[in-house]
């Protein structure tokens, strides 16, 4: 399984802001996972505390449904 990662540098936080994952008070992004389908529509969104680890099975379920 491979997937693209986004590093949101310049302008700082622009994409994170668009997806509601930017912590403006800290100047960083939340830990966030997004799955975008082949049509470019958002199929999954999970924004969680930096210290939390999401359940990978939730992601795999979404990915299986997109096949």
């Amino acid at each position: 399984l491979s997937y693209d990662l986004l590093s949101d540098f310049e302008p700082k936080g622009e994409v994170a802001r668009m997806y509601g994952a930017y912590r403006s008070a800290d100047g960083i992004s939340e830990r966030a996972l997004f799955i975008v389908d082949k049509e470019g529509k958002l199929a999954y969104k999970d924004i969680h505390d930096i210290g939390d680890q999401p359940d990978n099975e939730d992601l795999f379920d979404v990915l299986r449904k997109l096949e």
Side-chain angles (χ1 to χ4, degrees):
L1 178 64
S2 65
Y3 50 88
D4 295 329
L5 297 175
L6 171 70
S7 294
D8 195 7
F9 288 108
E10 296 297 335
K12 185 177 181 179
E14 181 179 12
V15 176
R17 290 175 210 271
M18 292 177 4
Y19 279 85
Y22 191 71
R23 296 170 58 167
S24 56
D26 300 320
I28 60 172
S29 297
E30 294 286 0
R31 180 169 287 185
L33 301 166
F34 301 94
I35 297 175
V36 180
D37 68 16
K38 291 178 183 180
E39 287 78 39
K41 294 183 182 179
L42 191 61
Y44 179 83
K45 176 180 178 179
D46 178 22
I47 300 174
H48 50 276
D49 291 332
I50 291 174
D52 290 346
Q53 178 66 33
D55 185 354
N56 287 335
E57 278 307 312
D58 292 341
L59 301 171
F60 296 147
D61 287 343
V62 173
L63 292 170
R64 285 184 201 103
K65 291 175 185 172
L66 293 177
E67 290 184 310

